Amino acid sequence: MKFEIWPTKKAAALRKAFIQQFIDMTSDHYQKHIATLVQDTDGLCYDGYLWNCLQDNKKWKKECRMDDAAAFLRDKKHVFLMWDLFSKERLSDRRLSLENPKDTIISIEGSLLSQKIVEEWNNEQDAWTSGFQCQGLWFPEDVYCFDENLSWYVIFTHETWDSWTNPELDEDVYIRVCFLNIQTQ
């Protein structure tokens, strides 16, 4: 898979800009689970999800289907991708992206990214329903995709709608929760 790892200082600036643009830093969740980084064996971490602090997202107003999120990315030339700052000890699986520092930001073509994210999700779901653990996955379960101008974001989460959260769904249905936001001027 072809992508570029963004230089450390530029990645830090992009992460900070993303948070300032899209995250409600005054929310209780942000203050309790993200604002204060904790030293872990592999560096500074937080224990919350940025997507739980999205601005203007009460009752998951920005929620969309995974297919819509992926379709939005397909025509984007350069997409930045980052993930939450979690300790590797917290993450039970060995995703290849996690071989990079947790604060890594990559730049990747949108069509490749959208294809790979959907493919990995489907492969993981197929393996899970067969009673196996999927191997060789690259992306973390929760990823934040955005452009250099911070005019939009697409977020793929690990959360799902299933028969437990929505009894109308069949027992083996797992619908991935994603978020899409396009800034309007």
Side-chain angles (χ1 to χ4, degrees):
M1 183 170 59
K2 185 179 177 187
F3 62 89
E4 179 183 352
I5 295 178
W6 220 239
T8 304
K9 285 185 180 182
K10 288 183 179 182
L14 267 175
R15 179 180 292 275
K16 181 178 179 182
F18 178 91
I19 290 170
Q20 289 174 336
Q21 180 73 15
F22 299 122
I23 302 301
D24 179 359
M25 295 184 290
T26 65
S27 72
D28 290 340
H29 183 86
Y30 185 87
Q31 292 301 314
K32 185 175 181 181
H33 298 283
I34 295 171
T36 303
L37 298 176
V38 177
Q39 183 66 46
D40 209 318
T41 57
D42 60 340
L44 294 172
C45 307
Y46 54 73
D47 69 356
Y49 295 98
L50 286 174
W51 56 261
N52 268 331
C53 309
L54 291 171
Q55 294 176 8
D56 195 29
N57 195 36
K58 296 273 190 231
K59 298 184 182 180
W60 289 7
K61 176 174 134 178
K62 308 277 185 197
E63 182 185 7
C64 69
R65 295 179 359 188
M66 181 175 65
D67 292 343
D68 295 330
F72 180 83
L73 292 177
R74 281 191 195 110
D75 67 343
K76 307 298 182 209
K77 294 293 180 207
H78 300 287
V79 175
F80 289 108
L81 177 107
M82 68 180 195
W83 43 88
D84 287 297
L85 301 178
F86 294 150
S87 169
K88 289 183 182 181
E89 291 180 15
R90 173 183 173 170
L91 305 168
S92 60
D93 53 5
R94 293 285 172 218
R95 307 230 177 202
L96 299 176
S97 59
L98 301 176
E99 294 174 4
N100 294 301
K102 70 178 97 355
D103 58 351
T104 296
I105 292 183
I106 66 171
S107 174
I108 187 169
E109 185 179 319
S111 61
L112 176 60
L113 176 61
S114 66
Q115 174 190 344
K116 191 70 172 164
I117 284 177
V118 171
E119 179 183 293
E120 283 194 2
W121 177 262
N122 290 335
N123 289 346
E124 189 169 26
Q125 295 307 303
D126 290 345
W128 189 82
T129 57
S130 299
F132 296 102
Q133 187 174 13
C134 195
Q135 301 294 315
L137 299 173
W138 204 90
F139 295 110
E141 289 181 311
D142 300 84
V143 293
Y144 302 83
C145 310
F146 56 97
D147 67 330
E148 186 172 19
N149 298 323
L150 299 169
S151 62
W152 57 264
Y153 64 71
V154 173
I155 300 169
F156 297 85
T157 79
H158 70 281
E159 295 290 339
T160 61
W161 293 110
D162 55 26
S163 60
W164 188 73
T165 58
N166 182 349
E168 296 174 11
L169 295 173
D170 289 337
E171 186 177 324
D172 293 332
V173 172
Y174 299 94
I175 301 170
R176 189 177 198 175
V177 174
C178 298
F179 299 103
L180 171 62
N181 182 58
I182 304 167
Q183 299 289 91
T184 55
Q185 298 295 335

